[in-house]
Amino acid sequence: MIQTYIPGRGNINLEILVLDYNGTLALDGRMFDSVKENLKRLSPYLEIHIITSDTFGSVVQQCEGLPVQVNVLESAEHIKEKGDYVLRFRPREVVAIGNGANDQLMLQQAQLGIAVIGGEGASVQALLSADLVVNAIEDAFGLLLETKRLKATFRL
């Protein structure tokens, strides 16, 4: 669990990390090496889930050996499916990270929604649905590993 207190927002207790794959953790289906290391660093604190359309068909192979659960979307309504996925847990214990238009409900439902701009860019829907926007996935991981950064950003 990751715990922190943010003045003006109260206590935050995060147990679940839900991640989009392409555009967030990967570019053109290939996961960034830094992501693999950060997922390993976060796994003692958070249960990690990757939920994706798997556009390039590579997510299972790319996640092999990592401490994550991979979930490939099955419906034609990806926005709803991703939002419903967060609701499988206690949303107050979920941090969600994504960049695409289909991540908007996932980002809204979570206690903490982080939009990543990254090399692929980010949809306006994701940006408007997030609590926080970062330039790269490494920045999002840094916020979770060093929670004083969250406090500095969210403090009222």
Side-chain angles (χ1 to χ4, degrees):
M1 177 185 300
I2 292 176
Q3 297 178 303
T4 192
Y5 173 77
I6 299 173
R9 288 184 71 134
N11 290 314
I12 293 180
N13 301 308
L14 303 171
E15 293 190 23
I16 307 291
L17 174 57
V18 177
L19 298 155
D20 169 56
Y21 184 68
N22 280 302
T24 301
L25 303 179
L27 186 63
D28 299 332
R30 295 187 48 92
M31 186 182 290
F32 305 115
D33 289 333
S34 63
V35 167
K36 294 177 183 183
E37 292 307 313
N38 279 303
L39 292 174
K40 291 174 187 173
R41 288 179 64 201
L42 284 166
S43 67
Y45 310 105
L46 297 168
E47 182 180 312
I48 304 170
H49 298 258
I50 295 174
I51 185 164
T52 179
S53 302
D54 199 18
T55 304
F56 295 91
S58 61
V59 70
V60 172
Q61 183 240 347
Q62 290 287 303
C63 292
E64 192 172 306
L66 293 174
V68 301
Q69 295 178 39
V70 175
N71 301 276
V72 177
L73 297 169
E74 297 175 359
S75 76
E77 298 180 39
H78 292 176
I79 295 171
K80 182 177 180 340
E81 192 172 351
K82 284 186 169 187
D84 288 348
Y85 192 85
V86 168
L87 296 177
R88 292 175 46 185
F89 310 102
R90 290 183 292 272
R92 292 188 50 78
E93 297 175 350
V94 175
V95 53
I97 305 176
N99 78 314
N102 68 1
D103 296 323
Q104 62 186 300
L105 269 181
M106 174 180 89
L107 295 170
Q108 288 173 359
Q109 302 284 14
Q111 169 72 11
L112 178 59
I114 303 174
V116 176
I117 296 174
E120 189 178 278
S123 75
V124 171
Q125 295 92 335
L127 296 175
L128 294 175
S129 298
D131 298 299
L132 182 63
V133 178
V134 297
N135 289 317
I137 186 61
E138 294 82 8
D139 299 330
F141 291 146
L143 291 167
L144 298 175
L145 291 164
E146 300 294 337
T147 59
K148 287 184 181 177
R149 294 177 190 171
L150 281 174
K151 190 179 293 188
T153 300
F154 284 122
R155 173 188 339 257
L156 296 178

